Amino acid sequence: MSGFISTDRRQSWGRVTRPTQKVAKPHFPDEVPPLVGEAVRGSTPLLAVGLMRSYGDSNLNPGGAVVDMTALDRIHAFDPRSGVLRADAGLSLDALIRTTLPHRLFPAVVPGTRFVTLGGAVGNDVHGKNHHRSGSFGNHVRKLGLRRSDGSLHELGPDDSTGLFAATIGGLGLTGLVEWVELELTRIDGSSIDGETVPFHSLEEFFALSDESIASHEFTVSWIDCTRVEGTAMRGLFSRGNWSRDPARLPHPAKPKAGIPIEFPSFALNPLSLRLFNDLYFRLGRWRAGRSLTHYAPFFFPLDSIMNWNRLYGRPGMYQYQCVVPPTDSLPVIAELLQTIAASGEGSFLAVLKTFGDRASPGMLSFPREGTTLALDFRNRGTETLALMARLDEIVLAAGGRLYPAKDGRMSARLFQNGYPRLAEFTPHVDPHFSSAFWRRVAP
């Protein structure tokens, strides 16, 4: 394959595996069809990828070919009056925000990092701190261009009757190669958030704060100390906010302020250091509690200020575990998950708890659904870590919940197939020449 180069230097954000793949990075749109054709002629499974911020294996294609879309990042059209932007799928949210912020426009939904491409945001139907009001990223996609392996290019929108648009939103890049995305942005006054931090000491307090904040605040999210859990007693910091009317429009820094230059040694992360970190983080948060005017960057993207923060987990890498469980039993199920984690002696620097609203995602495989979502990072300690997550899986499965494919690197086919009821509707839309490590592991 002349357009692809075989390499094992491309990893997902969790850095657990380093598979050998054939990689091509086109710089112009007309380079894409020949690459797709080359993979088809070679019967090589294909996958388009972006900035590699998915944690597990949904953006890896061992033995196959991947098309790195990040050099295809041109803006096709941007109308500040209508708030609509169309751009190559490789455009990052980082670059998009820098373009639209001066016009008081911002993506309606952003995940916890701005280093995500439009194609990646579509393929994973990412969500943000405002899911209870704005739904997922896919709720704000007006159109997209999808190239299939037969060479055809489809312009799809929410009115698509074939189901291909709904399959592509949250479809993990399996329905073809997304070439461009047209997005409806939201209007803001400036670049600041009127925020508030409220310490809490039980799950009951968390759910009460969440319920009262839904009506009053556009953004909500909580950090929790997962190393100190007893029954429903625990501690955390509930953050909520709204866009400020402050007219200042200051963009985020061009480069991260700091970075992790090397992989941390494995012994640096242990139950004692995790407990100390969580204790310090809570005490600092409690000291700073109350209302504050905060720039959007630390509010939405706190970890983006530290380049290569994933190196904190050392050479073995990490797993992220993110689930969502239905609202009816959220409190006891989340309590059981946290008790299981605390009893294991494992923990996470940044454990996040949030409630999703009832706005339906447009995608057949979209992760967000009404309920409560819990996300944690676990250092990779091999079989011990996998065994812990298997125990968590059983709790999520019994509760009728699901895991987030963008964060996953090991869930079973049984858990995936039970968690996504529209899977049978989605499968016929998978392009026969597109695949991933994740899909080969969980597909029916």
Side-chain angles (χ1 to χ4, degrees), residues 124-128 131 135-137 324 356-357 359-361 363 365-371 402 404 420:
N124 294 288
D125 196 14
V126 297
H127 58 272
H131 183 272
S136 64
F137 191 88
V324 57
F356 285 153
R359 183 170 179 177
S361 298
L365 291 191
S366 293
F367 166 69
R369 54 164 291 180
E370 186 179 14
R402 62 173 60 145
Y404 191 6
Y420 289 86

Side-chain angles (χ1 to χ4, degrees), residues 11-44:
Q11 290 182 285
S12 64
W13 194 245
R15 303 173 71 245
V16 171
T17 62
R18 189 187 291 246
T20 299
Q21 310 168 102
K22 296 179 176 69
V23 180
K25 187 174 181 177
H27 288 76
F28 297 96
D30 60 2
E31 295 176 51
V32 171
L35 289 171
V36 173
E38 188 176 340
V40 170
R41 288 191 299 276
S43 299
T44 305

Side-chain angles (χ1 to χ4, degrees), residues 200-222:
F200 60 91
H201 296 83
S202 71
L203 274 179
E204 286 86 351
E205 281 187 61
F206 162 78
F207 281 105
L209 280 166
S210 187
D211 288 345
E212 76 174 42
S213 302
I214 286 173
S216 58
H217 291 82
E218 182 172 359
F219 307 106
T220 67
V221 71
S222 290

Side-chain angles (χ1 to χ4, degrees), residues 37 55 100 122 140 142 162 219 248 272 377:
Y55 284 66
T100 63
V122 167
H140 307 278
R142 289 166 50 97
T162 69
F219 307 106
L272 177 61
D377 296 338

